[in-house]
Amino acid sequence: MSPIPPALSRYWQNAFDLEAHLASFLGLDGADLQQKLKAGQQQLAELGRRDFRWDQADQFYRDQVGSTYLLDLAAWHLSSTDYIGNTLRLLVDHARGLVLDFGGGIGTHAIGAALCPAVEQVIFWDLNPIHRQLMKLRAEKLDLTERIWCPDTFPAGIPFDTLVCFDVMEHLPNPVGQLRQFHDWLKPEGKLVINWYFFKGFQGEFPFHLDDPQVIEEFFRVLQSRFLEVFHPYLITSRCYRKWPETAAEDKPQ
């Protein structure tokens, strides 16, 4: 295990005060919060099986999941300290300049990036307005309002030095198109820190995850033609890529 980066030591103490921030944001006491955290994944899966439609994916994540997804993500982060910690180590190693946290969820990685010495500012973008509201609260409580910007509309036309995207691609109806956009948004020497999980689960616990073989194959073809993987030593599914300066001919959209 590599040493804990000093700037991020608070994550290993209390996940950047995640439980306190959630309790304050949701108006819950500690016992009620623990109950909701335990039930979060099951409730999200049930909601997905009942209401999720790929042609209405944006609406589902923006308008229907409410705080349920927050609780699901928080339970995962709180129970996976070392794993999430390694994704933060990856950010310390590679995050630079202006960072976009795309689909930032509960804000763990936006906070981690904002604390990295080489990062100037983090733009937190999430389709769900509840997630953006929580991030604003967390940034205020952690005295990071100058380091983390949470716009209500996506800030188009800004080139980024680093783009972070965790646990998002499998939720998109068109991850290939999103990957191409990431390439366009990055500066010539920019880096992409990303993961994906194109799998609905062994027992169908992730009904809202994309698993279409043709889409997945196209995703990897575009990824390998537009980005060069950068080695890292952490045993996690997250990967780091450097932007190829030019698109390979075989990746030109039809």
Side-chain angles (χ1 to χ4, degrees):
M1 186 69 70
S2 64
I4 294 175
L8 303 182
S9 60
R10 191 170 179 178
Y11 172 76
W12 276 265
Q13 297 169 12
N14 54 27
F16 300 132
D17 274 344
L18 176 57
E19 290 190 54
H21 295 164
L22 277 174
S24 174
F25 183 73
L26 298 173
L28 299 172
D29 61 29
D32 286 341
L33 176 62
Q34 292 303 317
Q35 289 298 318
K36 287 186 175 294
L37 287 171
K38 290 179 181 178
Q41 186 183 65
Q42 181 179 350
Q43 290 177 349
L44 185 63
E46 291 173 354
L47 181 66
R49 293 188 191 100
R50 186 180 67 243
D51 296 337
F52 183 76
R53 302 289 184 275
W54 279 112
D55 60 348
Q56 300 176 3
D58 284 0
Q59 180 183 1
F60 177 80
Y61 289 112
R62 184 182 60 242
D63 304 328
Q64 290 184 258
V65 295
S67 61
T68 304
Y69 199 20
L70 283 183
L71 294 163
D72 173 68
L73 288 171
W76 156 238
H77 281 224
L78 290 167
S79 65
S80 309
T81 300
D82 288 336
Y83 185 91
I84 301 298
N86 276 336
T87 66
L88 294 173
R89 287 184 170 99
L90 185 60
L91 292 182
V92 171
D93 293 345
H94 294 285
R96 300 288 184 275
L98 181 60
V99 176
L100 172 65
D101 185 2
F102 185 87
I106 58 175
T108 298
H109 295 101
I111 294 167
L115 294 172
C116 291
V119 169
E120 298 169 8
Q121 188 182 41
V122 178
I123 297 179
F124 175 95
W125 171 250
D126 195 293
L127 191 65
N128 189 323
I130 294 177
H131 295 190
R132 299 197 300 270
Q133 292 165 17
L134 174 65
M135 183 70 262
K136 290 176 182 178
L137 178 144
R138 300 194 74 191
E140 181 178 346
K141 288 185 175 293
L142 294 170
D143 196 25
L144 290 173
T145 54
E146 297 298 317
R147 303 273 290 170
I148 301 175
W149 177 34
C150 306
D152 291 327
T153 57
F154 185 79
I158 298 177
F160 297 98
D161 298 287
T162 312
L163 203 156
V164 179
C165 182
F166 288 133
D167 305 319
V168 172
M169 302 305 283
E170 61 270 21
H171 296 270
L172 302 179
N174 183 15
V176 178
Q178 189 62 67
L179 198 58
R180 289 190 173 110
Q181 279 196 317
F182 287 166
H183 185 273
D184 292 342
W185 294 344
L186 281 170
K187 293 180 181 179
E189 297 301 318
K191 287 183 177 178
L192 171 66
V193 183
I194 189 171
N195 70 359
W196 54 83
Y197 194 62
F198 297 119
F199 182 53
K200 292 189 182 296
F202 291 104
Q203 298 178 342
E205 59 268 34
F206 307 118
F208 34 75
H209 283 197
L210 184 139
D211 65 351
D212 184 315
Q214 290 184 327
V215 175
I216 296 169
E217 181 176 335
E218 179 71 1
F219 174 86
F220 285 112
R221 189 173 68 82
V222 171
L223 179 69
Q224 292 166 12
S225 65
R226 295 201 172 204
F227 297 91
L228 177 66
E229 186 165 1
V230 179
F231 171 79
H232 70 73
Y234 310 114
L235 301 178
I236 53 178
T237 59
S238 303
R239 297 286 181 262
C240 179
Y241 295 90
R242 179 166 55 83
K243 177 180 176 177
W244 277 118
E246 303 216 352
T247 303
E250 61 268 22
D251 180 36
K252 290 181 179 178
Q254 300 297 319

